[in-house]
Amino acid sequence: MKETTEIMCNVIDVQYQLFLAKDQLNMAPSTPVFDSISTEVSRFETGAICSVLNGVIRRLISQGLQVVESSAAKPFPCIRSGSHADIGSRPSMDDEHVRIDDLSAHLGSYFKCPSSFYAVFDGHGGRDAAAYVKRNAVRLFFEDVRLPQTSVVDDVFLGALLNSHREAFLQADSALADKSIASSSCGTTALTALVLGRHLVVANAGDCRAVLCRKGVAVDVSQDHKPSSLPERRRVEELGGRVEGEYLVDVSQDHKPSLSVTRALGDWDFKLRAGSTSPLTAEPEVQQFMLTEADEFLIIGCDGIWDVMSSQHAVSLVRRGLRLHDDPEHSARELVMEASRLHSADNLTAVVVCFASPNPVESCEPQSRRLRCSRLSEAWSKLKSSLEGN
């Protein structure tokens, strides 16, 4: 009986989640779902409980709903994004970015669940390196990689996905050694974000940054690779490199050229050739996160944004804007304009990816919802009494 009770609780929980989802979509069924449950509960026998509730679930599926395992596994109903870029005070625009809300439109059935892909490439020494990686991003990150053919996003699949992202960065870096693509003094930082269902995979090499808004609180989901970062400085020095102030210095060059990042693609003037480990590396940090209902949006920006603005400042600005106009494109533009107002001295690029409506559910529910929830509560009470009685 204990196992039966637990099964019934799980089924009712699924029913409740389905009910809320249908209510939010304003697609109320012609026959109230929980009226049907309430009517049938009174006729329950212990042996018939599962078959009756399974019948209800089948009816819900026939009405176009999908039963899912848990709220954490549900994909987002609709991801929306916007972006904006500005040359800022620089003489040339060396930033590039990628924004793909529906990755299946580019890859077909490559992934078995909804997926989106975003990236920012902040070039230096010219725009050729950033332009090359943007132009080849889909091929590098998806078409040229081998992933397990499975419909389940499990630990094995995620491990392979994280490794494929590392390989994509390194492959792009190797390609940039070809001087016909970019000069040896040209390079780019890179940050990518893949949303797969509710999994978020972030790969970063350089000082672009990805920040989540979690109920209004900024959560950094990438680390800046700057010489001022103690872990990065230690890594550089252990490999024979040297940091002077805010810069990585190339000790092999008489004129000592310097970079303000410790990880980047390209920049082959700074790097040791194949077979050696260079202090300046294209090896990204790749991290995976499970997004929840508390995660409202993601900001991806080049360092021109973060040089003059904290993560929390950016999140608060975007959140306030989305509550007014619900337009991620407008919010990305506002973010760039704010960085410009704060006298950023760099190119400016921002991408805003929305996971949810900016308007929270009101604490005072409409009467119709309270009535339907009351019916749910009544149905649950009758079911519980029936189980306890048997």
Side-chain angles (χ1 to χ4, degrees):
M1 179 55 64
K2 180 179 179 181
E3 292 181 355
T4 303
T5 303
E6 290 176 349
I7 291 172
M8 292 306 101
C9 289
N10 290 335
V11 172
I12 283 293
D13 182 62
V14 169
Q15 296 287 345
Y16 179 63
Q17 295 299 328
L18 290 168
F19 165 72
L20 290 181
K22 199 164 190 71
D23 183 75
Q24 290 170 355
L25 292 172
N26 296 317
M27 294 168 53
S30 56
T31 302
V33 173
F34 292 103
D35 279 356
S36 300
I37 294 177
S38 178
T39 302
E40 291 175 298
V41 164
S42 63
R43 300 198 300 270
F44 279 164
E45 299 279 334
T46 301
I49 289 173
C50 287
S51 62
V52 172
L53 284 180
N54 284 339
V56 174
I57 293 174
R58 284 194 296 272
R59 289 202 302 276
L60 290 172
I61 293 174
S62 70
Q63 296 169 1
L65 296 176
Q66 294 180 343
V67 178
V68 293
E69 294 178 358
S70 68
S71 60
K74 296 177 187 176
F76 296 101
C78 181
I79 287 184
R80 301 168 297 121
S81 71
S83 59
H84 190 70
D86 190 270
I87 192 172
S89 60
R90 289 293 179 91
S92 64
M93 181 59 173
D94 298 335
D95 286 357
E96 299 282 359
H97 69 280
V98 174
R99 181 162 60 92
I100 306 175
D101 290 338
D102 182 8
L103 196 55
S104 63
H106 292 72
L107 302 175
S109 58
Y110 186 90
F111 291 125
K112 305 301 182 183
C113 61
S115 54
S116 306
F117 181 70
Y118 309 93
V120 172
F121 308 113
D122 186 349
H124 46 262
R127 65 187 303 269
D128 290 343
Y132 173 83
V133 183
K134 174 188 176 174
R135 190 166 58 247
N136 294 278
V138 172
R139 175 181 62 81
L140 288 164
F141 286 93
F142 305 107
E143 294 175 353
D144 286 356
V145 302
R146 295 181 181 179
L147 293 173
Q149 296 300 308
T150 176
S151 59
V152 179
V153 182
D154 56 13
D155 289 342
V156 173
F157 180 86
L158 287 171
L161 183 63
L162 268 60
N163 286 332
S164 74
H165 271 54
R166 291 189 183 95
E167 286 301 315
F169 273 67
L170 297 177
Q171 289 293 331
D173 183 51
S174 296
L176 291 172
D178 184 345
K179 292 184 179 180
S180 67
I181 296 175
S183 72
S184 57
S185 61
C186 181
T188 182
T189 62
L191 186 147
T192 66
L194 171 67
V195 182
L196 191 61
R198 282 194 179 269
H199 296 277
L200 171 64
V201 176
V202 175
N204 182 46
D207 54 2
C208 295
R209 188 185 304 172
V211 182
L212 269 176
C213 171
R214 182 166 293 165
K215 288 187 175 180
V217 177
V219 179
D220 289 348
V221 289
S222 69
Q223 301 298 319
D224 300 348
H225 298 138
K226 289 179 174 287
S228 56
S229 164
L230 184 57
E232 284 298 290
R233 179 167 185 158
R234 287 175 176 168
R235 183 188 64 78
V236 165
E237 291 176 344
E238 287 173 0
L239 293 171
R242 189 168 79 239
V243 171
E244 293 183 1
E246 298 291 317
Y247 295 94
L248 173 66
V249 176
D250 184 356
V251 296
S252 67
Q253 301 282 342
D254 292 336
H255 58 285
K256 295 183 180 179
S258 56
L259 282 176
S260 60
V261 293
T262 54
R263 302 193 192 202
L265 285 62
D267 292 302
W268 279 97
D269 273 349
F270 264 82
K271 290 176 179 172
L272 303 175
R273 292 298 164 180
S276 303
T277 303
S278 174
L280 176 66
T281 180
E283 177 83 24
E285 283 189 315
V286 189
Q287 302 182 75
Q288 182 265 326
F289 308 88
M290 179 64 80
L291 298 170
T292 71
E293 300 293 343
D295 297 314
E296 301 172 22
F297 57 84
L298 176 72
I299 300 172
I300 303 172
C302 66
D303 68 313
I305 302 291
W306 313 114
D307 285 345
V308 294
M309 202 179 306
S310 69
S311 297
Q312 187 60 58
H313 183 169
V315 161
S316 298
L317 176 71
V318 170
R319 194 174 195 241
R320 185 164 57 249
L322 287 173
R323 286 169 178 252
L324 290 173
H325 49 66
D326 192 18
D327 183 349
E329 188 87 13
H330 193 177
S331 289
R333 186 180 304 110
E334 289 174 332
L335 192 57
V336 167
M337 290 174 62
E338 175 70 357
S340 181
R341 186 188 68 81
L342 294 172
H343 308 295
S344 175
D346 205 346
N347 296 151
L348 299 165
T349 299
V351 180
V352 175
V353 184
C354 293
F355 303 128
S357 168
N359 299 316
V361 177
E362 295 295 330
S363 59
C364 181
E365 297 179 306
Q367 183 175 357
S368 59
R369 178 173 295 184
R370 290 201 303 270
L371 178 60
R372 288 193 291 272
C373 288
S374 175
R375 289 170 178 166
L376 169 62
S377 178
E378 180 183 352
W380 168 243
S381 296
K382 288 185 179 181
L383 176 59
K384 185 176 179 182
S385 298
S386 177
L387 291 172
E388 291 175 347
N390 286 277

